[in-house]
Amino acid sequence: MRRSVSDAGSKNAAAREKRGEALGALPEWDLTALYAGMDAPAVGDDLYRAETEALAFESAYKGRLEEMARGADASAGLAEAVTRFEALEDLLGRLASYAGLVYAGDTTDPARAKFYGDIQEKITATSSHLLFFTLELNRIDDALLDQAISREPLARYRPWLEDIRKDKPFQLDDQIEKLFHEKNMTGRAAWNRLFDETMASLRFEIDGEKLPLEPALNLLQDSDADNRRKASEALAATFGENLRTFSLITNTLAKDKEISDRWRGFEDVADSRHLANRVEREVVDALVAAVREAYPALSHRYYRLKARWFGKETLPHWDRNAPLPKVEQRTIPWSEARDTVLSAYAGFSPELSNIARRFFDDGWIDAPVRPGKAPGAFAHPTVPSAHPFVLLNYQGKPRDVMILAHELGHGVHQVLAGPNGALMAPTPLTLAETASVFGEMLTFKAILKATTDPVQKKALIASKVEDMINTVVRQIAFYSFERKIHTARRDGELTADAISAAWMSVQAESLGPAIELKPGYETFWAYIPHFIHSPFYVYAYAFGDCLVNSLYAVYEKADAGFAERYLAMLSAGGTKHHAELLAPFGLDARDPAFWQGGLGVIARLIDELEAMEA
């Protein structure tokens, strides 16, 4: 007898409740290391202190930096200015981080949204008094600045000063920079917030239940094929109903970026991202070309194999991440996930594991799924005077354990880089994914080593291959999609159909003929937050995965001392270029063979899965 919608909904709700009980107690973060609460007096005090100090800083240094660079005490005078600037960056970063984390906890709460908006406005107003500083530093004669940097105490800031010099060709007149800065609140930042709040408020009706985004997406990994199909159809229906809004957001932000790029003189649609990542366009182009060339040997081949496991020629798109048939699916308790990751980290480096353990012991993680909570997962570095925080939506899937390992990798990296200070702790996105993906690999290898059952071993390797395809192939497809959208937007506004057509073309190319893109999938571009918040961010994942694959191969053959060199690389933060950081491991991302080596790791895992079929 066919189940009624209400029966199916009740059954699914009961199953979720049972899974929730199996998870055990999930931690929620303690943000008091930043501020005691939104109404804490310290928030107002710090806003006032930041504004007062910013005005004093502007009064003391604006229009004087060139003169200071010519003075007898140029190194000491400029170093004092940079130190004051860094302290202000830390203070403003603390306020911004707290507001952002509070907002991420529930983006639908009006009080939190107002607090977040108010703090952003005040920070924007205060930081407008600091804009002149890097602009004026870049107008100092190169010979004068080089002379000042050659001596202490300014020599400490050499990496930061050399880094901002790279922005020099693209900086504008001070007044234009100030206008861009102040209008961000009513421009890009406002559209980002609209996207976040719209996405958090959406509900997806499945068997009579209205679910938020994360539980709906989670059903795409359900063991019940019918649940996967229903989830996909519900996602498509709700995205479709809101496609006009998402199309407007996408068009507006793409045009906003085009205006900024045109004024600054960037040639290619992604050049500003490459500059921010401190990576050469040729390196990214080589990565993209290598991955696209490998589509047939990686994703196409794997999905053909997966379709055979399901006894089919092709799989509908909602089965792309489905668990393997006849493999036991269980909910992994939080305590087990924690112990698994910490043990894997400890097997590589006790120091790495000890830092990661602090996230659990000291309330640095927010793990439960809640209505209104930001979807996905992230590790927020906050500021060096505090510590990072990790947001998860943990639901007990094997992939959730890998996400925990991934975000803890980010967190450990951020802790190690913190002593470099607010100006030099941040790592370019290309290298920011190194520790996270390496953490995943350590966890995967540890679980694989402990797995003896052939069926479970096959499922584990398949899951890792899917994660790597999602990290490399899917993210490069995302990058290709963004290139299509931003390039086409230069010729005029794009309809929702045009955006969807571009999405379907890159998805078909990357996933291959064994994945059938059913009606409704054309809307799935709408929920990807990276397209909105960080245009062209996505290639950093592929960069990081290929880099880590090559790095891990060195680790497996390395003599003693690899862990120390690895921790030293993470501790460098943003003080070194990727070429400097990779040199101690004999790796060079500018070498085309580097990418082939990383992709070869994925291919060999697929070889292993094919051999299991023989």
Side-chain angles (χ1 to χ4, degrees), residues 103-116:
Y103 178 64
D106 185 355
T107 60
T108 61
D109 177 15
R112 295 183 186 220
K114 173 177 166 50
F115 178 75
Y116 175 64

Side-chain angles (χ1 to χ4, degrees), residues 275-289:
L275 177 66
N277 282 347
R278 302 309 188 228
V279 65
E280 301 75 18
R281 188 201 299 176
E282 307 78 59
V283 172
V284 178
D285 288 348
L287 164 64
V288 173

